[in-house]
Amino acid sequence: MEKDSVIQMWENYREINPDAPNDYDVWAFGNSKEVADKLLGLVLEGKKTATSSNYNLYELGKEEVPFVGLYNIILDGNGRAAAILVTTSIEIIPFEEVSKEHAYLEGEGDRSLKYWRDVHEEFFKEELKGTNQEFNYQIPIVCERFKLVYKE
């Protein structure tokens, strides 16, 4: 992560939004440079307004569960700050109950629920390697919606 780019982006955002909080999360989409850049591109195009994550990993203490009103500085594949999102809704549901609407809002592939399930099953299986957990269709998923509020 290029810490200077994160600090600079937040300072630029706070100049025009002085009431923004002091705290924010910093992260990139996916698990590779290519995926981070691809999904960031979908956000910047306005196609991606949602994401999902494995709730069990939050329980393992790797990160805090996102919450409504959370500011997120999104990194590109090179670790540079590229956008600021604000979380607008959170729903924690079993994998098998993720809706067609949520899959569509994630903006990936053909935006279908089948595509979402195929890609995310593979992603979550990979993510769970090295833990004492295995993927199943009942694992809790954090379905997060967000709004793009700043990009440079």
Side-chain angles (χ1 to χ4, degrees):
M1 171 179 64
E2 291 189 25
K3 191 173 182 180
D4 290 344
S5 72
V6 170
I7 293 168
Q8 188 61 58
M9 177 172 274
W10 191 247
E11 287 176 359
N12 293 347
Y13 181 74
R14 293 227 17 199
E15 275 184 31
I16 56 177
N17 297 283
D19 294 333
N22 293 323
D23 299 326
Y24 52 85
D25 272 358
V26 180
W27 50 275
F29 289 104
N31 57 3
S32 71
K33 175 188 181 333
E34 295 76 23
V35 172
D37 286 338
K38 180 181 177 183
L39 299 183
L40 171 62
L42 293 174
V43 168
L44 297 176
E45 291 173 27
K47 287 184 179 177
K48 183 172 184 61
T49 59
T51 193
S52 52
S53 52
N54 182 344
Y55 179 79
N56 291 339
L57 294 182
Y58 297 109
E59 290 289 293
L60 293 172
K62 291 189 175 191
E63 300 173 28
E64 273 189 50
V65 176
F67 54 88
V68 172
L70 176 65
Y71 282 78
N72 305 276
I73 297 181
I74 306 304
L75 306 174
D76 66 16
N78 293 317
R80 288 192 49 80
I84 299 175
L85 310 176
V86 176
T87 301
T88 58
S89 75
I90 293 288
E91 182 180 27
I92 301 170
I93 57 175
F95 180 91
E96 66 187 358
E97 292 181 23
V98 171
S99 68
K100 289 192 279 188
E101 178 187 14
H102 186 81
Y104 182 84
L105 293 174
E106 287 217 22
E108 301 171 38
D110 66 3
R111 302 178 93 169
S112 70
L113 181 57
K114 180 183 181 336
Y115 180 90
W116 184 92
R117 284 185 175 156
D118 291 345
V119 168
H120 286 81
E121 180 175 342
E122 182 180 319
F123 179 79
F124 293 141
K125 282 179 178 178
E126 185 66 29
E127 227 179 18
L128 288 170
K129 285 183 180 175
T131 71
N132 63 353
Q133 301 177 22
E134 290 188 19
F135 176 83
N136 64 69
Y137 292 107
Q138 289 75 43
I139 65 167
I141 302 299
V142 179
C143 294
E144 179 178 359
R145 293 187 185 183
F146 54 77
K147 178 172 69 170
L148 174 65
V149 295
Y150 187 80
K151 62 183 178 179
E152 292 188 330

